[in-house]
Amino acid sequence: ADDAKWAIAVEPTEVAKVSDKTLTGGKVGKATVKCSLADVPDAASPGAQIEVVIGKPAKTIAKLAPTSITAGEVGASVTCALVDGGGNEIATDPGKFTIETSADLNLSGGTLSGTKAGKYDVKCVMADGPTAEAAQLEVKPGAPTDVGTITVTRGRRSPG
């Protein structure tokens, strides 16, 4: 049969992606792969079972909760993860990560806070580890803390 008439399907789809006649692992788990032949209703295969397991470390990611905080108030918690190419977390000792971010943020016990409004990248880095993918923390302006008094007097303006 002509190769172009064959179709390959994976269920559940998040376990593996099909491209041409190649399967690429995605999320860890088991799936059924079925082949069928176009225009031949009884040509579907009963299917084969595959299992996707954790792959090699691909990157570290920083997770923030929440991703937006108010300046001077409660901060955001940071958790770090090492993931493979399919986004599957690889069990890792949390002590192997170093959190890198702006000097404008304060890090205390896994919580970031700040007093200067802005958007800041947060990375979880491992010595000799893979690429670190940044998360972004937004620090929104807080309420004014000191509202002074301004005195305005009417007067003439000198030519100048």
Side-chain angles (χ1 to χ4, degrees), residues 62-117:
K63 299 177 189 177
L64 302 171
T67 57
S68 178
I69 61 174
T70 301
E73 294 185 5
V74 176
S77 67
V78 182
T79 53
C80 298
L82 178 63
V83 297
D84 67 8
N88 301 297
E89 285 195 32
I90 300 169
T92 309
D93 175 5
K96 294 192 178 219
F97 295 101
T98 301
I99 298 171
E100 291 184 357
T101 191
S102 169
D104 289 330
L105 295 177
N106 301 314
L107 176 63
S108 176
T111 300
L112 285 169
S113 60
T115 57
K116 184 176 178 183

Side-chain angles (χ1 to χ4, degrees), residues 32-66:
T32 301
V33 178
K34 292 185 178 185
C35 297
S36 59
L37 187 58
D39 301 327
V40 182
D42 296 331
S45 70
Q49 293 292 311
I50 62 167
E51 182 174 5
V52 173
V53 296
I54 291 178
K56 294 178 184 177
K59 63 184 173 183
T60 62
I61 56 173
K63 299 177 189 177
L64 302 171

